[in-house]
Amino acid sequence: MIRRMARSRAWRKFTRNRTALVATGVIGLYAAIFLTIVGTQITDWAGVTNIGSRQGLQMRVLPPKWPGFLESAGIEQRYDAHDWQVSNLNRLFRKDLESMADPSGELAAVSLGERKLADKPIAELRALNEQLNEQFDAVGEVYDIYDEVNEEHHDLDDAIAKAKEGGDEEELAALRAQIEPLEQRRRDAESQLSTALDAVDEVYEELMPQPTGFGGVVYRFRTMFGSDVLGQSISGRAFYSIKIAFQVGLVVATISVLIGTLLGAVAGFYGGWIDSAVMWLISTLSSIPYLVLLAVLAFMFSGHQYFDNSAEYPELQLVKLYTAMGLTFWVGTARVIRGEVMKIKELEYVQAATAIGFGRFYIVLKHVIPNTFHIMFINFSLLFIGAIKSEVILSFLGLGVSGQPSWGTMISNSKDDLSNYFFWEVGAASFLMFVLVLAFNIVSDALQDAFDPKHV
Amino acid sequence: MWGFIARKLIYNVPVYLGIILIVMLALRVQDPTLMKLGKNATPAQIESVSKSMGLDQPFVIQYFELLKNVVTFDFQEESWSHGGKSVGEMLKSSIPMSLAITVPTLGLSAIIGVCIALVAAYYRGRAVDRVLMIVAVLGMSISYLVYIIFGQFFGAFLPRQALGGENWPFEITGYGPLFLGEGATPMNWVSFYMLPVIIGLIVSLGYDTRFYRAVMVEESSRDYITTALAKGASKPKVIFVHMLKNAMIPIITRVMSTLPFLITGAVLMEIYFKIPGMGFQLINALTNLDFPVIQGFVAVLAAMFILTVIATDVLYALVDPRVRLS
């Protein structure tokens, strides 16, 4: 069948569409990531490997809420990060590391992902830490000046606002004249602070060098989109979420397409009371908004030993999601297939098969359904997108995934960060999802173009 | 026509009865009183709570009790988490809020979508058409959630920070009464509901324009269009008078069939903008295991849904007389 497909006109038309091919490649890339994650999980579970795909996500890789590669951290953020890092290191070096038999565990505790303490004797590290503290104390002095200037600026702003309200033109002009020198002082303080912080950075680099080689590549990947509140890698979680998205998409689309094709084909082919029954089922199920269905299912399973966020079987929490979507999503497919089958059953080859004496169900399975293959294909990709989008929305509402990385939970965890102008977590999740959904949209459009030229 | 409406009603009543039956059974799989009160509840507590909901009565009586409530729209049961408030009161306060978002979104998106689709169909295959369709596909690929989050950020949060709260019409979150209650002004609609409506509009436009354009393009290849053009009717006249009239059937079906999507979408909108509409209350009730509210709201939502299905069929029959006869 695949060979026949490759020769068909529709297939040639599809392969001539360059955008669609690129989109297919993108989907392939996502699928490869999905398979890799599933593979490592299976081998981990079987005890063959211990990659700890989930533990890697909970590793601290950067100071909390550090921005990604396109945005450099602000001066206050750098100060806070160093403050955090220096206190972490001081806590380590206050311990009596020399008398420990094996201090490697203690040393590893301060490392950020692949960025570890330099491979030097402890005495040397201690000296470097002393140096770091000295430099940081110097920064503290500059920071006090910076803070003071900022405070003054704030007061001036308030005074100007007050003068504006009072309508005192003279005072306003006098205050306005103060802005420029103050701005200058602020710029000076900022550049001083920045040079001081650079000096700290230098020592810090010596103490905890940037990883090189393979570790460097991994570290760069982990820090690509910055870090969240806990200092964990955002990119790691965003890419890991592909697993849940594909899982939900595959399961829901497969279930719905199978049910929809079977019921639609049987209804279209047999007609009569079977057709009426299926049509009644279709109209009943499409009269229940699936959110309502899901609400009922969530209530039904809430507090259940296995189906409600059990830590033992995290996969089972998705059963209610699958049920709600699977029950409602097949309806559209069934409608389309039914219409197509009603056309197909009048064709000669079906009549020939009947004349030979094949059973009706055999004809449906063997001759009718294979000829609706393109509709199944298109519907599969449409339902896939639908399921992924719904999963994100439901996880956001707290009805879907919890305790596992998913784009929906990422977005819902970090939606308040946007008011602090920290958009990396929301942005990473939205961007990865956008690319996947866009690719699927393009592919299903191209499929529709290729298989159904009348459809515009 | 009346016969047709009666037929549709009779056809849909069993559907609704079935839905209610399934919902009620599903909600009783685990004892709702025990779920609410926990394992350490005293028998007296359990008895009083289940009595207040009528849960101690036979299932058949509960079933008809709920149906009676829906038909008379009179829900006397008290909510378990909002002390003293009856389910009916909650419904009465939340339905207008949901409608204040849903109805304008639905109407405006249909009108604007059809207009854009007409433009795209008029310039079919040319740059205008292509750009519009690319924008539509891009817009379709962005999650609803992302639209809401960034819509609130750029539509309310940033301008409020930049211009000050008084100079910007849209509130970040919150709600206000529209026509009833204290401090109710229609202006509240602008400050609390307009931004959600705009966001909803942008979301649904991507889907709608593509569909409407497909309808228009299909319609424009029909024979009657060629005839009209051959007779010397101008192109705008053919498109706006002849074609649009015939394209109304799929457009109406489409508008009505986007309702479920709008209800889901409105839930997100309500939760994000903290407007206590129907979806907000339902999700809240779910987290609080508030059984009376869940049962009442689900029954009403399903009823609203069925009514829109019937309304679609009736509208359909009004536009296309052939439907009435089948």
Side-chain angles (χ1 to χ4, degrees):
Chain A
M1 195 170 81
I2 288 167
R3 227 155 86 217
R4 225 175 61 209
M5 221 180 90
R7 278 208 307 271
S8 73
R9 261 179 64 205
W11 183 251
R12 282 212 306 276
K13 194 169 171 192
F14 180 76
T15 47
R16 234 181 285 137
N17 188 340
R18 276 221 200 106
T19 338
L21 284 184
V22 172
T24 318
V26 171
I27 295 174
L29 207 68
Y30 274 81
I33 296 174
F34 165 68
L35 288 177
T36 318
I37 295 170
V38 172
T40 51
Q41 270 188 348
I42 290 175
T43 48
D44 274 7
W45 170 77
V48 182
T49 56
N50 190 12
I51 299 171
S53 38
R54 288 287 286 282
Q55 274 84 33
L57 302 175
Q58 282 149 10
M59 196 194 300
R60 233 174 25 193
V61 295
L62 280 173
K65 284 203 190 179
W66 197 254
F69 64 101
L70 282 176
E71 193 192 356
S72 50
I75 212 153
E76 302 206 0
Q77 203 171 11
R78 278 175 70 191
Y79 178 79
D80 287 344
H82 277 305
D83 192 16
W84 178 79
Q85 195 58 257
V86 166
S87 65
N88 273 350
L89 287 169
N90 280 345
R91 208 175 305 130
L92 170 74
F93 284 109
R94 222 172 288 138
K95 286 174 192 153
D96 191 11
L97 294 168
E98 279 85 351
S99 61
M100 277 186 202
D102 182 22
S104 60
E106 297 283 336
L107 294 181
V110 290
S111 62
L112 297 173
E114 277 72 27
R115 192 168 188 178
K116 295 185 171 71
L117 278 175
D119 196 14
K120 285 174 185 161
I122 287 172
E124 223 169 290
L125 291 177
R126 205 180 273 281
L128 273 171
N129 189 45
E130 287 299 316
Q131 212 178 327
L132 189 72
N133 271 309
E134 267 167 38
Q135 294 285 4
F136 192 67
D137 288 343
V139 169
E141 279 161 32
V142 187
Y143 189 80
D144 285 343
I145 301 171
Y146 172 76
D147 216 30
E148 231 166 74
V149 176
N150 260 347
E151 196 83 357
E152 269 177 53
H153 201 279
H154 198 76
D155 289 346
L156 188 62
D157 280 345
D158 280 354
I160 288 178
K162 218 182 224 170
K164 242 186 205 166
E165 243 168 61
D168 194 345
E169 288 297 327
E170 248 171 68
E171 202 188 330
L172 201 60
L175 285 172
R176 284 224 167 105
Q178 287 177 30
I179 293 181
E180 193 43 44
L182 198 60
E183 287 277 339
Q184 187 57 44
R185 270 174 62 205
R186 182 153 81 162
R187 273 196 291 276
D188 289 346
E190 241 169 59
S191 68
Q192 263 180 30
L193 187 56
S194 152
T195 28
L197 282 169
D198 284 345
V200 182
D201 271 340
E202 240 166 72
V203 183
Y204 183 61
E205 175 65 38
E206 221 171 308
L207 187 62
M208 276 178 86
Q210 283 277 359
T212 50
F214 181 67
V217 175
V218 175
Y219 186 69
R220 214 150 295 146
F221 169 75
R222 281 195 208 276
T223 54
M224 189 161 65
F225 293 140
S227 68
D228 66 358
V229 194
L230 298 170
Q232 296 167 355
S233 158
I234 287 176
S235 57
R237 239 171 345 159
F239 277 95
Y240 195 89
S241 305
I242 292 174
K243 188 214 149 202
I244 288 287
F246 258 70
Q247 192 181 325
V248 172
L250 281 177
V251 172
V252 171
T254 312
I255 295 177
S256 323
V257 167
L258 282 182
I259 300 180
T261 309
L262 207 64
L263 284 184
V266 165
F269 195 80
Y270 283 68
W273 68 268
I274 296 182
D275 191 23
S276 312
V278 171
M279 284 313 279
W280 186 82
L281 203 60
I282 288 179
S283 58
T284 308
L285 282 177
S286 52
S287 319
I288 312 177
Y290 86 97
L291 194 84
V292 169
L293 188 65
L294 197 81
V296 172
L297 282 173
F299 187 78
M300 207 170 127
F301 287 134
S302 81
H304 193 279
Q305 191 182 353
Y306 299 119
F307 295 113
D308 189 47
N309 307 338
S310 100
E312 227 173 315
Y313 304 103
E315 305 300 328
L316 285 183
Q317 59 173 286
L318 288 170
V319 167
K320 50 180 186 256
L321 207 93
Y322 297 149
T323 321
M325 288 194 209
L327 272 177
T328 44
F329 278 22
W330 63 270
V331 169
T333 316
R335 271 207 193 109
V336 187
I337 296 269
R338 176 176 165 269
E340 183 73 13
V341 168
M342 281 164 106
K343 262 187 256 164
I344 290 177
K345 86 174 167 185
E346 305 299 332
L347 296 178
E348 283 91 346
Y349 63 84
V350 176
Q351 286 172 1
T354 319
I356 293 170
F358 287 139
R360 286 207 287 181
F361 193 65
Y362 180 82
I363 297 176
V364 170
L365 278 187
K366 193 81 185 170
H367 299 284
V368 175
I369 288 182
N371 281 296
T372 58
F373 187 70
H374 61 283
I375 299 181
M376 289 166 70
F377 214 51
I378 293 166
N379 267 285
F380 185 86
S381 72
L382 290 176
L383 291 173
F384 200 100
I385 310 173
I388 289 177
K389 283 175 144 183
S390 308
E391 183 270 310
V392 169
I393 290 176
L394 294 173
S395 301
F396 176 80
L397 293 178
L399 293 173
V401 183
S402 64
Q404 291 186 66
S406 114
W407 291 322
T409 47
M410 278 180 80
I411 291 175
S412 80
N413 285 343
S414 60
K415 59 180 197 292
D416 298 329
D417 292 346
L418 215 56
S419 52
N420 301 324
Y421 302 100
F422 185 79
F423 60 89
W424 283 98
E425 197 164 3
V426 180
S430 323
F431 177 73
L432 283 182
M433 188 167 82
F434 168 72
V435 172
L436 180 64
V437 175
L438 181 66
F440 261 106
N441 271 331
I442 291 172
V443 167
S444 55
D445 268 6
L447 282 176
Q448 235 151 23
D449 266 355
F451 283 108
D452 189 6
K454 265 178 73 189
H455 186 97
V456 250
Chain B
M1 191 65 211
W2 289 107
F4 176 80
I5 296 176
R7 228 176 332 137
K8 278 290 148 197
L9 276 173
I10 292 167
Y11 180 81
N12 280 301
V13 163
V15 172
Y16 185 69
L17 293 180
I19 292 173
I20 291 295
L21 184 68
I22 295 168
V23 163
M24 285 184 68
L25 284 174
L27 289 179
R28 284 165 177 72
V29 169
Q30 295 190 68
D31 190 351
T33 45
L34 277 184
M35 276 169 78
K36 180 68 196 170
L37 296 172
K39 281 182 185 130
N40 304 326
T42 59
Q45 266 179 320
I46 293 175
E47 200 184 338
S48 77
V49 168
S50 59
K51 205 162 204 167
S52 76
M53 250 332 272
L55 281 167
D56 50 345
Q57 279 163 334
F59 182 75
V60 182
I61 294 180
Q62 293 180 36
Y63 183 70
F64 284 107
E65 198 59 30
L66 181 64
L67 282 181
K68 195 193 91 196
N69 285 348
V70 174
V71 172
T72 55
F73 201 74
D74 182 24
F75 294 86
Q76 294 292 344
E77 295 85 2
E78 265 184 25
S79 151
W80 288 354
S81 53
H82 299 74
K85 249 189 177 177
S86 76
V87 177
E89 274 172 49
M90 287 172 71
L91 273 170
K92 267 172 208 146
S93 70
S94 61
I95 288 179
M97 293 187 195
S98 289
L99 291 184
I101 300 176
T102 319
V103 173
T105 315
L106 189 67
L108 287 175
S109 80
I111 295 168
I112 300 175
V114 168
C115 291
I116 298 178
L118 277 173
V119 171
Y122 190 88
Y123 293 105
R124 187 185 168 188
R126 283 197 258 164
V128 179
D129 180 28
R130 282 182 172 204
V131 169
L132 279 176
M133 285 310 112
I134 288 173
V135 171
V137 172
L138 286 178
M140 264 169 67
S141 306
I142 302 172
S143 167
Y144 205 142
L145 201 54
V146 176
Y147 274 114
I148 296 178
I149 291 175
F150 283 95
Q152 190 198 41
F153 183 67
F154 290 111
F157 183 79
L158 265 192
R160 277 186 159 258
Q161 291 263 310
L163 304 171
E166 320 80 60
N167 304 325
W168 191 251
F170 304 144
E171 297 283 338
I172 299 173
T173 55
Y175 66 100
L178 282 175
F179 301 110
L180 299 169
E182 246 174 85
T185 58
M187 265 311 285
N188 273 343
W189 188 80
V190 175
S191 38
F192 297 110
Y193 302 97
M194 198 162 146
L195 188 62
V197 167
I198 292 175
I199 296 172
L201 207 59
I202 296 172
V203 175
S204 45
L205 271 184
Y207 296 87
D208 284 1
T209 41
R210 259 165 65 91
F211 180 82
Y212 295 144
R213 177 185 168 276
V215 168
M216 305 283 177
V217 168
E218 198 183 324
E219 207 63 36
S220 67
S221 60
R222 293 278 167 85
D223 290 342
Y224 70 90
I225 299 283
T226 324
T227 316
L229 285 172
K231 280 186 168 177
S234 65
K235 197 176 173 190
K237 197 186 169 194
V238 171
I239 284 193
F240 289 108
V241 179
H242 296 87
M243 205 171 91
L244 193 56
K245 225 186 241 172
N246 280 288
M248 273 330 271
I249 302 165
I251 290 174
I252 286 177
T253 331
R254 169 75 181 188
V255 170
M256 296 312 260
S257 69
T258 45
L259 264 180
F261 174 73
L262 277 175
I263 288 179
T264 338
V267 173
L268 267 184
M269 212 69 98
E270 284 161 10
I271 287 175
Y272 209 81
F273 286 91
K274 300 202 171 64
I275 300 168
M278 289 193 77
F280 181 92
Q281 302 280 27
L282 182 63
I283 299 289
N284 237 351
L286 266 181
T287 43
N288 294 328
L289 299 176
D290 193 345
F291 174 76
V293 176
I294 297 174
Q295 183 171 280
F297 271 66
V298 166
V300 171
L301 268 176
M304 282 166 78
F305 225 72
I306 294 268
L307 286 179
T308 60
V309 171
I310 296 172
T312 318
D313 287 340
V314 171
L315 267 177
Y316 205 76
L318 274 178
V319 182
D320 187 0
R322 284 170 297 180
V323 174
R324 252 176 278 172
L325 303 170
S326 64

